[in-house]
Amino acid sequence: MPLQYPLSAVVPSKDSGDDMTLALVLTTISPEVGGVLVRGEKGTAKSTTVRALASVLPPIEVVAGDRFSSAPGDTSPDGPAPDHAWPLDAETETRPVRLVELPVGATEDRVLGSLHLSKVLADGVAEYEPGLLARAHRGILYVDEVNLLHDHLVDLLLDAAAMGRSTVERDGVSVAHAARFVLVGTMNPEEGELRPQLLDRFGLTVEIAAPRDPRLRAEVVRRRLAFDADPHAFVGSYADAERALTDRIAAARKLLPEVELTDAVLTKVAEVCAAFEVDGMRADIVTTRTAVAHAAWNGRTTVTRADIRQAALLALPHRRRRNPFDAPGLDEELLDQVLGNEEPEPEPEPPGPQPDGDGPDGEGPDGESDLDTGPGGPTRSSGGDEGPGRSPEGDGEGLDTGPGGPTRPPGDGQAVVASLADPYKVRRFEVHGTGAGESGKRSRALTSNGRRAGNDPTGAGGLHLVETIRAAAPHQRARGREGGRIRFEQQDLRTARREGREANLVLFCVDASGSMAARKRMEQVKTAILSLLLDAYQRRDKVGLVTFRAGGADVALPPTHSVDIAAKRLADLPAGGRTPLAEGLLQAAEVLRVEKVRDPRRRPLLIVITDGRATHGEGAVPRSRQAAQWIAEQGTTAIVVDCEQGPMRMGLAGQLALHMQATHLPLADISAQALTTVARVA
């Protein structure tokens, strides 16, 4: 088994501090916190840190020979009859905590468990073979790229996380077993967001970014190269630090029941959660448990203001009420204002400042540990340097729609920047026909789940038992059957043809030239795209944007599920200059070609928004017609939204639609409602 990179050797980033390691440690000290979701850009040691966590956790005691990691006194399908509970004096053994990885492409039977096929075939005994949920009991269940997990697996995780048990009713097996584990998920927000139901099940969430300090980056490379060159020597050099972490976690677990939880602490937690308008009561419970675990981690039996502050920073960002386009995170100035400068009193006495002077940043004496982000450890400042994705202001672009919103200096003397209006709910649009794309909530498609719409003798779906029997029934006499079992042959096999919904790709190709540069018009276009993106987030679609102006075309928004990334890209979209129509169409066609290679089953819809003019370069009009004809030859479903205005119209957009074999919709004025109606009609 290859050696794991030591947890104590992970270099913390000044941008995100030690929040990730701290969150992982706290949820292992108190598993009732509910797990950790780590969001961050690629290459930030998310997976390395999670895999290193298991090696520093204290070992656990399990009943010897039990396949479900039960402790004495726990119930288990393998326990003694009749109640399946192991006696308190059962023989035990000690083993390390398991880190079980759930692959994104795992099948349902591997997650839940199923029949033990070898015993069924060899001995004729129907025995249950435990799945990944059983193996992860009392351990860590790690899902890398959790936002890409299939919906049916998400449903299984939701049930297990909510009930702490896994119930299997399939293949003639009826089994229920404990499945209490620390759920850890990592994801890159650029690849799409997480379902709200699963997001709420994560107790804590952390935003992580790579360090920007060149010295820290050099140290990361230095340690990684040393580990790759001689893993045993490198791990040995951190052995003392790893043992210290293990001892500290064990001590914190032992101290946890002794931490005093006063009414003043509960009131302060409730005030914080109410100030951030979180939904439901789970936020209050998780924040309280995290604050208690943080106090135990720092060797205290009283919960301080610093414990509540750190707990709120970890437990509330993904629970506060916000629009999908809003940046994640908390307003730390508001948090400090609600917490105040006074410590929660252990007794009902008049509150007063503590003599040790714990301030808003939680300074305290316990600050030697590299993993201590409580008192004395690194804390985030609302006014200092912040990493990408952590500051509500981002890079200054944001979604400011007022008169002082983001503007860009004109690049060629003709560019202007339109602001964004508030996004709105759009109607569902569908692509004609029946596709076979990824499961979603948009257009009709043949999927692996959904309502049964017939049978197929050559399909790859699940067995359609009724139709298979019906196909074999007329041939039983010819096959010599005189009673007993039905005789089947290969040609009798029928599979279920299921019809559900698929996700689509909606690609906007927007003319951002001088003739389209009216601020109101561009505002309507951008607002429509953001609204469709919000709808796509809910229906699991992809939305992209190609713009053309001045001297060429740009992919302003690559096909994405991420509303946060989309909002930042679209907020500062300039307009002005000449009209390179041919370049815009060819760029859109290239985006569709690349996406077809990546996901050949996702059907696209191309929406070209233009007045039809082509004014850039020699032979602009013939080149634009050739580009349109090439798109038509690819069989792409397309719509041309005609933005030409005025009493004297040249009808160029109509001619473009004719060459593209696209639907032509002349509109005197582009409105956001008109754009979404166009997509729905398609």
Side-chain angles (χ1 to χ4, degrees):
M1 183 176 179
L3 292 177
Q4 291 291 345
Y5 194 89
L7 181 63
S8 55
V10 176
V11 179
S13 167
K14 287 185 178 180
D15 295 330
S16 55
D18 265 338
D19 284 355
M20 178 179 177
T21 304
L22 178 65
L24 292 172
V25 167
L26 294 181
T27 197
T28 55
I29 293 173
S30 178
E32 292 81 7
V33 167
V36 181
L37 173 66
V38 183
R39 295 162 46 95
E41 57 195 29
K42 51 186 175 290
T44 50
K46 299 187 296 294
S47 300
T48 299
T49 305
V50 174
R51 294 189 178 104
L53 174 65
S55 61
V56 300
L57 296 181
I60 60 174
E61 190 177 43
V62 300
V63 174
D66 183 69
R67 298 179 298 167
F68 298 88
S69 301
S70 303
D74 290 348
T75 59
S76 169
D78 287 349
D83 55 0
H84 300 284
W86 290 105
L88 295 178
D89 58 352
E91 183 181 354
T92 62
E93 60 185 7
T94 301
R95 66 162 178 79
V97 173
R98 288 173 179 163
L99 174 70
V100 179
E101 297 195 35
L102 174 59
V104 172
T107 58
E108 184 176 337
D109 61 319
R110 285 296 300 125
V111 177
L112 285 178
S114 61
L115 281 174
H116 198 300
L117 289 180
S118 61
K119 292 192 175 182
V120 171
L121 296 176
D123 305 329
V125 178
E127 181 177 316
Y128 172 68
E129 183 178 11
L132 295 179
L133 294 184
R135 182 173 176 79
H137 178 51
R138 301 178 66 194
I140 302 171
L141 182 65
Y142 173 45
V143 188
D144 193 14
E145 305 295 350
V146 64
N147 51 325
L148 304 181
L149 200 63
H150 290 292
D151 288 340
H152 66 286
L153 298 182
V154 171
D155 295 336
L156 298 179
L157 286 183
L158 288 175
D159 290 340
M163 305 300 297
R165 296 187 65 80
S166 176
T167 302
V168 182
E169 298 286 350
R170 56 178 298 159
D171 301 329
V173 174
S174 180
V175 174
H177 62 83
R180 296 185 299 274
F181 46 79
V182 175
L183 179 61
V184 179
T186 56
M187 60 174 283
N188 183 352
E190 295 182 2
E191 298 173 348
E193 295 296 334
L194 200 62
R195 280 178 56 180
Q197 296 89 341
L198 184 57
L199 177 63
D200 188 56
R201 287 296 173 184
F202 284 99
L204 310 178
T205 184
V206 177
E207 296 282 335
I208 189 170
R212 303 305 181 212
D213 186 344
R215 291 172 297 178
L216 287 179
R217 298 175 72 93
E219 181 62 23
V220 171
V221 175
R222 186 180 299 110
R223 294 188 185 183
R224 186 69 213 189
L225 293 178
F227 174 77
D228 293 339
D230 191 346
H232 291 278
F234 185 84
V235 171
S237 64
Y238 284 90
D240 292 340
E242 296 286 278
R243 281 193 295 270
L245 278 177
T246 302
D247 294 341
R248 188 175 178 185
I249 292 174
R253 287 180 175 177
K254 185 177 181 180
L255 186 63
L256 186 68
E258 302 178 16
V259 177
E260 183 181 7
L261 189 60
T262 64
D263 290 339
V265 170
L266 292 175
T267 301
K268 184 60 68 175
V269 170
E271 290 176 358
V272 171
C273 294
F276 286 99
E277 299 181 342
V278 297
D279 295 325
M281 295 299 299
R282 184 173 285 119
D284 301 62
I285 297 173
V286 172
T287 304
T288 302
R289 287 173 172 168
T290 306
V292 171
H294 191 266
W297 171 245
N298 287 283
R300 297 190 304 269
T301 57
T302 58
V303 177
T304 66
R305 175 188 176 277
D307 298 325
I308 300 175
R309 187 181 194 277
Q310 186 63 63
L313 291 174
L314 296 175
L316 299 186
H318 62 302
R319 290 190 170 91
R320 69 179 180 87
R321 194 171 298 172
R322 67 183 182 97
N323 294 322
F325 300 143
D326 295 342
L330 288 182
D331 184 345
E332 297 192 28
E333 292 183 358
L334 175 60
L335 177 60
D336 289 331
Q337 180 180 353
V338 175
L339 288 174
N341 294 322
E342 299 172 349
E343 294 288 354
E345 291 294 331
E347 298 179 1
E349 297 178 356
Q354 297 296 316
D356 59 357
D358 277 353
D361 293 330
E363 293 86 350
D366 189 9
E368 284 85 19
S369 172
D370 290 339
L371 298 178
D372 186 5
T373 60
T379 57
R380 292 174 289 181
S381 171
S382 59
D385 294 336
E386 302 205 26
R390 301 188 62 83
S391 170
E393 292 82 4
D395 56 1
E397 295 180 1
L399 284 178
D400 188 356
T401 59
T407 58
R408 176 182 293 176
D412 55 3
Q414 303 180 37
V416 297
V417 177
S419 61
L420 299 175
D422 292 332
Y424 51 86
K425 184 177 180 180
V426 299
R427 300 178 182 180
R428 185 179 71 194
F429 64 89
E430 297 184 18
V431 177
H432 278 316
T434 303
E438 293 292 333
S439 178
K441 297 184 179 180
R442 183 67 64 185
S443 303
R444 291 177 55 193
L446 298 179
T447 59
S448 59
N449 49 23
R451 69 180 184 88
R452 196 160 57 194
N455 68 91
D456 188 350
T458 60
L463 178 66
H464 197 316
L465 182 59
V466 174
E467 293 298 330
T468 300
I469 295 175
R470 183 177 296 175
H475 309 289
Q476 294 306 299
R477 180 171 296 180
R479 294 172 183 173
R481 181 194 174 199
E482 297 179 355
R485 298 179 179 179
I486 299 178
R487 297 188 176 183
F488 294 97
E489 293 186 3
Q490 185 174 0
Q491 61 267 26
D492 300 328
L493 182 64
R494 297 292 185 272
T495 57
R497 182 176 181 269
R498 297 186 179 275
E499 185 175 292
R501 295 282 175 178
E502 70 173 357
N504 298 112
L505 167 63
V506 180
L507 181 64
F508 285 87
C509 184
V510 181
D511 184 349
S513 62
S515 59
M516 296 282 294
R519 186 176 298 272
K520 179 181 178 182
R521 189 178 304 169
M522 287 306 299
E523 176 182 321
Q524 291 171 339
V525 171
K526 294 199 294 186
T527 303
I529 296 171
L530 284 174
S531 301
L532 283 169
L533 186 64
L534 174 60
D535 187 63
Y537 163 70
Q538 298 169 344
R539 302 187 186 278
R540 301 163 211 169
D541 288 320
K542 277 188 174 182
V543 174
L545 171 64
V546 172
T547 63
F548 53 95
R549 59 173 290 271
D554 295 316
V555 181
L557 175 63
T560 181
H561 293 288
S562 175
V563 293
D564 295 331
I565 301 299
K568 293 179 181 179
R569 299 286 177 85
L570 292 174
D572 195 13
L573 185 66
R578 292 185 173 272
T579 311
L581 178 56
E583 286 76 2
L585 296 178
L586 291 176
Q587 183 66 70
E590 176 63 15
V591 172
L592 294 180
R593 184 192 68 81
V594 173
E595 286 300 309
K596 186 175 182 179
V597 173
R598 291 177 177 173
D599 190 353
R601 297 192 302 165
R602 190 182 297 272
R603 296 189 295 164
L605 172 65
L606 175 62
I607 301 179
V608 182
I609 306 169
T610 181
D611 55 10
R613 299 179 182 179
T615 61
H616 173 73
E618 184 178 354
V621 174
R623 287 191 298 109
S624 63
R625 291 178 179 176
Q626 292 175 1
Q629 291 172 354
W630 191 82
I631 291 177
E633 292 173 359
Q634 307 308 309
T636 304
T637 302
I639 297 171
V640 175
V641 179
D642 191 347
C643 305
E644 192 174 20
Q645 295 179 334
M648 300 296 294
R649 303 187 183 184
M650 303 176 63
L652 298 177
Q655 297 178 23
L656 179 66
L658 183 63
H659 290 289
M660 290 181 63
Q661 299 181 14
T663 302
H664 174 235
L665 293 177
L667 295 175
D669 186 18
I670 294 182
S671 67
Q673 183 62 40
L675 281 179
T676 54
T677 303
V678 167
R680 180 177 57 84
V681 171

